[in-house]
């Protein structure tokens, strides 16, 4: 971008009706509220004029989308704007838009994605894209750029989830691989449950595996009656819904394991192990390898636990746990 691009801009009074408000070529900001700007402009005037460029018969906004919207809501008819020379390239205009936004504040994830996505339309070489991004204060790691730049192309509801920090970058990349309707359905689910990344991943993985195991679509699994009943239950709070939903999905995905777990818990409870003896089942009950953990404070305490353990070993519930 030539350093003189903005310096060569001239000030001009233009009517707001002469601005193409639908051209978002250079829009970076995700903010749509303008109440703060309206109050400022009404009190102090338009301190920083928007930056525009003439395209065909109308002006295109390069910088100042929110300022112009605020002026419109204040019923202004005309404003003073900075007008760029018409021979300035689209890429240079885009770099100006990115620079102005980045200088004002830290860009959020979607705004950063917009910048990278728009730049990638002009710069296809990843190394050159990284260099251009770096000069504008954007992420310059190619792998990070690859993960971020397509976020702004996701459905609006997913972008909103990212902005609200309901959806992380990792989950956004996961949802990006799904069909739009299913990705939106997961986004709404996570927005309702307000759960962290690990639990989100657990639910997505279970739904995928159930669908594959039962020959269903992901939508079929999420529209199952029991699934819907859990999510619409009026007497359950978010935490309870999350636990019940994950438990239901896990039992549906791993019925044999869950059955073993339930039987194990019944027998373990009947043993009355107490607080100092813990019986640990095999992982996923795939192998007959059990663990035993004892905590004690003295030799006498250990001898007492040993006596207690000898009694436990003789109980029928213990033998049932071991399959004897």
């Amino acid at each position: 971008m030539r350093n003189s691009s903005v310096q060569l801009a001239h000030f001009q009074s233009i009517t707001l009706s002469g601005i193409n408000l639908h051209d978002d070529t250079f829009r970076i900001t995700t903010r749509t509220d303008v109440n703060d700007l309206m109050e400022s402009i009404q009190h102090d005037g338009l301190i920083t004029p928007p930056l525009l460029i003439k395209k065909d018969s109308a002006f295109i906004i390069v910088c100042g989308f929110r300022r112009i919207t605020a002026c419109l809501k204040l019923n202004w008819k005309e404003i003073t704007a900075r007008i760029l020379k018409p021979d300035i390239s689209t890429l240079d205009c885009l770099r100006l838009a990115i620079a102005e936004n980045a200088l004002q504040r830290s860009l959020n994830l979607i705004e950063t994605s917009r910048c990278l996505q728009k730049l990638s339309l002009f710069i296809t070489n990843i190394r050159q894209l990284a260099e251009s991004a770096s000069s504008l204060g954007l992420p310059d790691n190619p792998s990070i750029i690859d993960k971020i730049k397509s976020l702004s192309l996701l459905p609006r509801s997913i972008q909103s989830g990212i902005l609200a920090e309901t959806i992380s970058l990792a989950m956004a990349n996961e949802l990006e691989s799904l069909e739009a309707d299913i990705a939106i359905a997961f986004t709404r689910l996570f927005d309702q449950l307000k759960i962290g990344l690990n639990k989100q991943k657990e639910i997505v993985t279970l739904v995928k595996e159930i669908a594959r195991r039962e020959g269903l679509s992901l939508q079929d699994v999420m529209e199952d009656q029991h699934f819907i009943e859990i999510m619409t239950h009026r007497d359950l709070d978010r935490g309870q819904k999350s636990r019940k939903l994950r438990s239901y999905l896990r039992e549906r995905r791993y019925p044999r394991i869950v059955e073993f777990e339930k039987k194990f818990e019944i027998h373990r409870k009947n043993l009355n192990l107490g607080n100092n003896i813990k019986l640990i089942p095999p992982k996923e009950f795939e192998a007959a390898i059990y663990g035993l953990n004892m905590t004690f404070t003295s030799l006498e305490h250990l001898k007492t636990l040993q006596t207690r353990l000898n009694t436990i070993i003789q109980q029928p519930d213990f033998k049932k746990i071991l399959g004897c």
Side-chain angles (χ1 to χ4, degrees):
M1 179 178 66
R2 300 187 299 274
N3 293 330
S4 59
S5 294
V6 177
Q7 295 174 356
L8 292 177
H10 65 277
F11 289 90
Q12 181 178 330
S13 179
I14 63 169
T15 60
L16 289 173
S17 60
I19 300 175
N20 183 346
L21 302 174
H22 304 291
D23 192 315
D24 288 338
T25 302
F26 305 112
R27 184 187 291 273
I28 303 300
T29 183
T30 56
R31 291 186 62 183
T32 56
D33 60 299
V34 295
N35 291 336
D36 57 332
L37 284 179
M38 288 176 65
E39 184 177 351
S40 173
I41 292 172
Q42 194 168 28
H43 186 269
D44 300 314
L46 194 56
I47 297 174
T48 304
L51 186 63
L52 311 178
I53 189 168
K54 190 71 173 291
K55 182 179 180 181
D56 298 328
S57 60
F59 288 99
I60 303 301
I61 305 171
V62 177
C63 307
F65 284 88
R66 292 178 65 239
R67 278 167 278 170
I68 289 173
T69 300
C71 290
L72 283 167
K73 289 194 172 186
L74 289 171
N75 294 317
W76 285 22
K77 301 302 180 184
E78 61 179 38
I79 60 170
T80 297
R82 295 170 293 164
I83 310 300
L84 290 166
K85 287 187 173 294
D87 60 345
I88 295 177
S89 72
T90 303
L91 177 57
D92 279 350
C93 288
L94 177 59
R95 288 179 59 85
L96 285 171
I98 294 172
E100 178 164 310
N101 278 271
L103 284 173
Q104 291 177 352
R105 71 204 190 291
S106 297
L107 301 181
N108 61 46
L109 199 54
I110 297 300
E111 290 171 337
T112 301
S113 173
R114 283 185 182 178
C115 293
L116 294 171
Q117 178 62 34
K118 290 175 184 291
L119 284 172
S120 69
L121 298 177
F122 300 93
I123 309 172
T124 56
N125 180 279
I126 187 62
R127 184 183 61 79
Q128 294 176 353
L129 177 59
E131 291 176 356
S132 183
S134 178
S135 69
L136 291 165
L138 300 172
D140 57 1
N141 184 302
S143 64
I144 297 298
I145 290 175
D146 187 57
K147 290 179 180 178
I148 292 177
K149 72 183 181 71
S150 59
L151 296 181
S152 59
L153 302 179
L154 290 171
R156 287 286 184 188
S157 59
I158 301 179
Q159 293 188 43
S160 297
I162 294 171
L163 292 174
E165 299 184 351
T166 302
I167 302 296
S168 67
L169 175 58
M171 181 48 62
N173 291 146
E174 176 89 14
L175 296 178
E176 189 178 2
S177 65
L178 303 177
E179 293 182 5
D181 290 347
I182 297 301
I184 291 171
F186 275 121
T187 301
R188 290 172 178 167
L189 177 68
F190 299 150
D191 182 61
Q192 184 177 351
L193 293 176
K194 298 290 191 277
I195 54 178
L197 175 61
N198 289 339
K199 291 178 181 178
Q200 290 179 6
K201 282 186 173 182
E202 179 186 0
I203 290 174
V204 172
T205 299
L206 287 171
V207 170
K208 283 183 174 180
E209 291 181 351
I210 290 169
R212 184 165 54 248
R213 181 174 181 267
E214 300 181 10
L216 302 172
S217 68
L218 300 183
Q219 186 174 357
D220 289 335
V221 178
M222 297 183 73
E223 291 180 352
D224 175 82
Q225 183 178 355
H226 194 53
F227 191 112
I228 295 174
E229 285 176 354
I230 293 173
M231 293 309 302
T232 57
H233 201 298
R234 294 182 179 181
D235 296 329
L236 298 178
D237 60 26
R238 288 171 179 166
Q240 291 170 322
K241 287 181 179 180
S242 172
R243 288 190 293 273
K244 282 185 174 292
L245 181 62
R246 285 157 41 230
S247 176
Y248 157 68
L249 291 173
R250 188 170 182 275
E251 183 171 358
R252 185 170 170 181
R253 172 63 182 90
Y254 304 107
R256 180 177 172 275
I257 293 175
V258 172
E259 181 183 358
F260 275 116
E261 287 176 344
K262 289 180 177 179
K263 289 180 178 179
F264 175 82
E265 287 303 322
I266 290 172
H267 294 313
R268 178 162 60 179
K269 185 176 181 181
N270 291 340
L271 291 175
N272 295 316
L273 297 176
N275 296 326
N276 300 107
I277 299 177
K278 297 187 184 301
L279 183 59
I280 306 165
K283 183 179 180 181
E284 307 293 354
F285 291 90
E286 292 180 348
I289 302 175
Y290 291 80
L292 190 66
N293 182 285
M294 293 193 298
T295 56
F296 52 90
T297 57
S298 65
L299 182 59
E300 291 301 318
H301 189 190
L302 177 59
K303 290 179 179 180
T304 301
L305 292 178
Q306 183 182 23
T307 301
R308 172 69 181 145
L309 183 59
N310 288 333
T311 302
I312 290 171
I313 290 173
Q314 302 304 317
Q315 293 186 29
D317 281 286
F318 187 80
K319 294 180 179 180
K320 287 178 181 178
I321 286 176
L322 298 181
C324 299

